[in-house]
Amino acid sequence: MDSKKSKNHNISIWLMAFVLILLILLSFALLASSLKGLTSKEKEVIALSSNEEPSGFFSLFYKHAKEEPELDAHDDNVSWKTSTDVDLFKTAYLDPSGKLITVESDDGAKAIAPGTSNDYHFSLKNTGNVSLDYTLNLEGVFELSDRKLPFEVRLKKDNEWVVGADDTWSSVYELNDSVEKGTLSVGKYVGYTLEWQWPYESGEDDVLFLNDINDTAIGDASAEMDVDFRLFINVAAEATPQAVAMDENGNILYEESINPSALVTGLSMLTGGLLGLLLLLLFWRRRIYVTGLLDGYADYSMKYKRKESVLSAYGRFVFEHMPLGKRSLVLCDTDGNELGTLALKLKRDSDTEGIRFEEDDDRLIIYIGKKIKAIELYLELNNDVLAVLSDKWAAIDKDQNVYSPEGIKEPDDDGKNETVAGLMVDEHGRFEIRVK
């Protein structure tokens, strides 16, 4: 019966330990998930002004949001990310007399001609969340590359001239050599305007004559060949060095690096689990198997606190897991009447081999060796006082050695051992009472 109770108690202890270990593992998993960044769900991003930036302890929970550089280039009709080509020029013009002339190639496609002029607008906008450094270069391509183009161009960035000036036009070839660089804050944009013209005549004296020949030749070619002028716009952008993610109002963007609620929950669970496991270990380590013999009181009860052990036919009682510290054993008859009391204190002592006794006021101190797992006492009842016979006792350590006033008895070859009164221990350290 006692062996069965011991087995059930051990199962309960191990079940508690298993639950606590699962709780600790779950806590670690939750903490790892938090530290990884909110598991697999999208991270919450918040915008904070310079006065609201997390600092101190709260800086553990937030980090700068991931930079997402993105530039959008667009005109009135199309948008692009890196490059595009645009057919810039009108396919009709007014001659000097004011007559509208449309120039076509052999296949009916429109072409450019002297007297043509126009402008073209496009913009660059920072649609990402980080400041951008961009590079812009324009390249003009004309099909009759063996002829000098008479086109004149100028390029304006917002209200500032990049190529040309208010009263100055430049050769179209200068576009190929121009490289425009700038920086765009989040949500900001910059507008560019390319103005062009193909004057009827340009230059003076011999240059005027040659230019007129060029104009005429290209104009004639426009009517007979696929003469087409296109502008290639190439844009490259990257995040400004050392820049951080921001919103359009200049507030810095942060994302959770550790989920605060998950961290608190995880730490609470981890703390609770570790504390529970620690208490369980302390509870387990500070308990000892206590049995005793009181001859002549079969079927009476030995009690301490709410624990009770009914004495066997030869007067044995058993408490499988008695905590160390101050205890009072009370002998009761079958009607529950108290017959005698033993005030004792169980105390570990690394210098004691087996057990030893010491009187302290009205309490008996039993010093128990560090390795001892079970003790066996011999009691007698004198009037209303239970007394321990100091010259008769036994103790068993974790290596199954049996201690008694007569000396030490080592375990058998199979690892088992037994006291004189019948307290047995197997090779696994489990205790059982031999039934006589």
Side-chain angles (χ1 to χ4, degrees), residues 214-288:
N214 267 341
D215 289 351
T216 304
I218 296 172
D220 291 343
S222 298
E224 299 175 0
M225 300 174 58
D226 290 329
V227 179
D228 192 16
F229 185 87
R230 287 185 176 271
L231 179 70
F232 288 88
I233 305 174
N234 301 302
V235 183
E238 61 182 5
T240 303
Q242 308 303 318
V244 296
M246 306 183 76
D247 65 8
E248 295 186 5
N249 297 319
N251 297 315
I252 300 176
L253 298 180
Y254 290 89
E255 64 185 18
E256 292 177 341
S257 56
I258 302 176
N259 188 325
S261 59
L263 179 64
V264 171
T265 303
L267 286 176
S268 300
M269 294 175 63
L270 179 61
T271 302
L274 291 175
L275 182 59
L277 187 59
L278 178 62
L279 291 175
L280 180 64
L281 291 175
L282 291 176
F283 174 84
W284 183 256
R285 287 176 59 86
R286 289 179 58 83
R287 290 175 178 258
I288 191 169

Side-chain angles (χ1 to χ4, degrees), residues 51 66 71 112 114 134 149 177 213 316 324 352 375 405 423:
N51 296 328
K66 182 180 179 181
L71 181 71
I112 56 177
Y134 71 89
L149 293 178
D177 298 327
I213 292 177
R316 181 181 289 278
L324 300 181
T352 298
I375 62 174
L423 173 58

